[in-house]
Amino acid sequence: MKKFAKALGLIACAAAFCVCALAACSSSNGSATSSPTSSVEADTTLTVELQVSADSAFARALLEIEQLYSETHEGVSFAEPQFSQTEQSPSKGVVASTVSKADGDSAHADIVIAGSKAKMNALEQEGAIQASTRFDLARNRLVIVAASDNDSVTVCTLSDIVNGLHFVALGDADVASGASAREALSTAGGYAFQNGGSASDPSSEAGSYSGALAEPGVVTESPTTSAVCENVRKGVCDVALVYATDVYRYGSLKIVGAVDASAYAAVDYPVAVSQDSEHMDEAEAFLSWCATSADAREILQKWGFTL
């Protein structure tokens, strides 16, 4: 009888062991099936990617601003910016093809930073932007620069240039800073437009240099801003008339003089959300942050913009 009872006890223990083992397997299987679900849920976090089309003056500043925004605003990233390669003057500039509806092969852009009000006006007339989101983000200024290692030029004024005290480099009539330079020189008697107009007047015709600047070799024109800066760095010219942002973009230059803002048309950079943007709310939030964030404004100032 005792042997029978002992056998029953062994059977009961074995049964209990089997039940526990089955429970453990069931629990293990349940965990295995729940893990992929949580993984899928984690992978479904959406990130909005914004595309910005900007004037080349923002080549350095915009990258820093985008990086800071992504780091402080979860769920927003940026595609590689599209920078306008045109050097066209502010009043006669062509619209960047990245946002022009007239260009069927143009790339998409959620945000536009135009090189001038004239360019943004053209986009607005074309219906390519949301006019209600438009505002001026920053302003550039015309400055006189020399090579950083040129100790012979520490200070220079517009009058010095007009009087022929230095060989000067500037962009040709189709370069934005070159157009501003001609307008400034015209106020000091160093340049005369054919019809008495100015570089900011679309109806103005190209003119000619006056006085000392009319002498051969005193003025060297170039088709791009980079070439203008290179002429100064290499010592071809003593000074150049460029925008403040160019000093920081191209390097090895120092500002030796400022040009009175009243001598040339304001160089403003309007921004707006593209009419065809698929992320209008996020794009507008980014522009609002650029306009109000102290950090964003500090970056713009670091790269030569005024606010």
Side-chain angles (χ1 to χ4, degrees):
M1 185 70 179
K2 289 181 179 180
K3 291 182 178 179
F4 180 72
K6 185 177 181 180
L8 286 176
L10 291 172
I11 293 172
C13 289
F17 176 81
C18 291
V19 170
C20 290
L22 288 172
C25 290
S26 175
S27 175
S28 175
N29 289 338
S31 299
T33 55
S34 63
S35 180
T37 302
S38 61
S39 176
V40 170
E41 290 175 354
D43 291 342
T44 56
T45 303
L46 297 178
T47 298
V48 171
E49 185 179 72
L50 296 177
Q51 176 72 70
V52 181
S53 172
D55 183 84
S56 57
F58 287 81
R60 300 293 184 87
L62 182 60
L63 294 176
E64 280 195 33
I65 288 175
E66 289 182 346
Q67 181 178 349
L68 178 59
Y69 191 82
S70 294
E71 291 173 351
T72 56
H73 294 75
E74 186 177 358
V76 179
S77 65
F78 294 86
E80 185 176 350
Q82 303 165 345
F83 292 113
S84 169
Q85 297 303 309
T86 180
E87 293 272 359
Q88 205 84 2
S89 64
S91 63
K92 303 175 184 178
V94 294
V95 176
S97 63
T98 50
V99 292
S100 175
K101 288 185 175 181
D103 183 356
D105 298 324
S106 63
H108 168 74
D110 296 292
I111 296 166
V112 184
I113 305 178
S116 68
K117 290 186 176 182
K119 293 181 181 180
M120 191 64 88
N121 289 343
L123 288 175
E124 185 172 340
Q125 292 172 3
E126 193 180 347
I129 63 164
Q130 295 186 57
S132 61
T133 66
R134 174 179 174 174
F135 65 91
D136 292 338
L137 177 63
R139 173 171 290 186
N140 224 329
R141 58 195 176 96
L142 191 65
V143 295
I144 304 169
V145 302
S148 298
D149 59 359
N150 186 350
D151 296 331
S152 64
V153 181
T154 56
V155 178
C156 180
T157 66
L158 197 61
S159 295
D160 292 337
I161 293 176
V162 171
N163 290 329
L165 299 185
H166 299 290
F167 292 105
V168 60
L170 63 151
D172 63 27
D174 289 330
V175 177
S177 60
S180 295
R182 282 167 180 73
E183 187 171 9
L185 290 172
S186 70
T187 65
Y191 190 85
F193 292 92
Q194 288 187 16
N195 61 350
S198 68
S200 59
D201 181 358
S203 65
S204 297
E205 298 180 10
S208 58
Y209 296 103
S210 308
L213 295 184
E215 295 297 323
V218 176
V219 177
T220 299
E221 297 184 355
S222 298
T224 64
T225 303
S226 61
V228 172
C229 295
E230 188 68 9
N231 281 334
V232 173
R233 287 195 297 259
K234 288 186 174 181
V236 176
C237 297
D238 303 318
V239 297
L241 283 162
V242 295
Y243 289 145
T245 54
D246 299 325
V247 178
Y248 305 98
R249 285 178 61 201
Y250 297 107
S252 299
L253 299 171
K254 62 182 179 181
I255 297 176
V256 294
V259 179
D260 194 298
S262 64
Y264 57 96
V267 185
D268 293 323
Y269 297 93
V271 298
V273 176
S274 171
Q275 186 63 47
D276 295 331
S277 172
E278 297 179 356
H279 310 294
M280 292 186 178
D281 291 341
E282 291 84 357
E284 191 167 359
F286 171 65
L287 289 183
S288 177
W289 178 83
C290 289
T292 58
S293 166
D295 291 331
R297 311 304 273 172
E298 182 179 346
I299 292 174
L300 288 171
Q301 289 178 313
K302 183 181 88 171
W303 290 103
F305 294 98
T306 58
L307 310 174

